[in-house]
Amino acid sequence: MSTIPLEDNFNDVLAKALHGLKVSPEAAASRAGVDAPGLKRLLDGEFDEPTARKVAPVLQLGEEQLVMLGQQAYSPDVTPPDGLLGFNTPYADFFVNAYLVWDPGSKQAVVFDTGTDGEAIVRAASERGLTISLILVTHTHQDHIMCLESLRQQTGAPAFVSPDEPTPCAEGLPTGRFFQLGGLSIKALPTSGHSKGGTSYYVTGLSRPLVVVGDALFAASMGRGNVSYQDALENNRREIFSLPDETIICPGHGPLTTVALEKQHNPFYPEFAH
């Protein structure tokens, strides 16, 4: 999935920070000592490095990370390990990711979200001789569960989601929030903020650990803090950035990345850069 472009540009990051902090562009421009038209041009996608550097700290963003985005100097290139396959499918005017992860020994597989083409997932599993035994949902925004009911019916696999986002197509996560699938261990992590019950899934048992994060975090960005921007930031710090650096991050939109790469390049988390 390394050919997938970044989900957000520098101006998307700025807009998300403004929205999350509840700061108007005019107020941000005043605090940063830049003129309002200059900030508007920045928000419209016209990159200007001096303006970006002045605005970044006002919005609690990493200056260097934001400039790298503006200069299009960051593009993660992560090779998925054996046992991980991503699906990037269209929804409205954007694309959404779903993932198939399997234990090479037992050939048992888990699907994370569904995207918009469940048939592609089933076909890929069949071609590899896999049995889809489990479906796990990061959150219930429509683009992520469009095929959930049909996929569950086709596979007979149970589906689970946070009880804070109940849906007729899935059960609430069990007590302990832990699953074992052949040689795979899967732990559900609470990463709400973008959605009420946003959940990430930490997977070990392949050659590298994975975390499927839905819209909690993107390469060089994060999901909009629809429910709580501050909770989204803090949950990501606690649950995702505390994972081993080599952990592959599988986001709901955009390319694969890693914990180490996001520590260096994500403007929302400058405190991890060194």
Side-chain angles (χ1 to χ4, degrees):
M1 299 181 68
S2 60
T3 58
I4 297 173
L6 293 177
E7 172 65 9
D8 287 341
N9 297 319
F10 71 91
N11 52 321
D12 299 307
V13 167
L14 289 169
K16 286 180 176 180
L18 284 167
H19 177 268
L21 294 171
K22 298 180 172 58
V23 176
S24 70
E26 294 76 17
S30 176
R31 295 176 195 176
V34 302
D35 62 274
L39 179 54
K40 183 180 185 304
R41 287 192 296 272
L42 205 63
L43 291 168
D44 287 340
E46 183 180 329
F47 185 67
D48 175 69
E49 182 175 339
T51 302
R53 287 188 178 279
K54 290 178 181 178
V55 171
V58 171
L59 298 181
Q60 301 171 21
L61 298 172
E63 184 178 319
E64 297 303 326
Q65 292 84 352
L66 186 65
V67 168
M68 285 194 73
L69 262 185
Q71 294 175 340
Q72 300 181 354
Y74 175 53
S75 179
D77 186 8
V78 177
T79 301
D82 290 341
L84 169 63
L85 187 63
F87 301 81
N88 184 240
T89 54
Y91 181 87
D93 60 347
F94 57 92
F95 288 80
V96 59
N97 296 329
Y99 298 93
L100 180 68
V101 179
W102 65 93
D103 169 36
S106 67
K107 297 286 189 178
Q108 293 186 72
V110 52
V111 174
F112 294 96
D113 293 344
T114 70
T116 61
D117 187 358
E119 294 295 332
I121 298 173
V122 172
R123 185 166 57 251
S126 177
E127 290 170 351
R128 290 162 175 78
L130 307 176
T131 299
I132 295 175
S133 304
L134 182 63
I135 303 169
L136 296 175
V137 177
T138 63
H139 64 301
T140 57
H141 291 171
Q142 183 62 24
D143 53 324
H144 293 265
I145 62 167
M146 189 169 177
C147 306
L148 180 57
E149 185 174 5
S150 63
L151 189 63
R152 194 183 61 169
Q153 290 176 350
Q154 281 184 270
T155 63
F160 293 90
V161 70
S162 167
D164 291 327
E165 295 187 31
T167 171
C169 300
E171 305 172 48
L173 287 168
T175 302
R177 301 166 65 92
F178 182 83
F179 301 88
Q180 190 73 38
L181 196 68
L184 301 179
S185 298
I186 306 168
K187 183 179 180 181
L189 309 175
T191 49
S192 63
H194 174 71
S195 70
K196 185 177 180 181
T199 302
S200 297
Y201 298 94
Y202 181 55
V203 184
T204 56
L206 300 180
S207 60
R208 291 177 65 175
L210 318 171
V211 62
V212 183
V213 299
D215 289 359
L217 192 73
F218 305 141
S221 189
M222 61 183 283
R224 193 178 180 96
N226 295 325
V227 175
S228 171
Y229 181 68
Q230 294 302 328
D231 285 350
L233 287 169
E234 185 51 41
N235 287 334
N236 285 343
R237 288 188 184 103
R238 184 182 66 250
E239 302 293 348
I240 298 175
F241 283 91
S242 63
L243 297 174
D245 281 355
E246 68 268 23
T247 303
I248 295 174
I249 297 172
C250 306
H253 306 276
L256 297 175
T257 183
T258 68
V259 170
L261 285 170
E262 293 314 300
K263 283 181 177 179
Q264 291 301 310
H265 296 287
N266 198 303
F268 288 99
Y269 301 93
E271 67 271 27
F272 292 106
H274 55 77

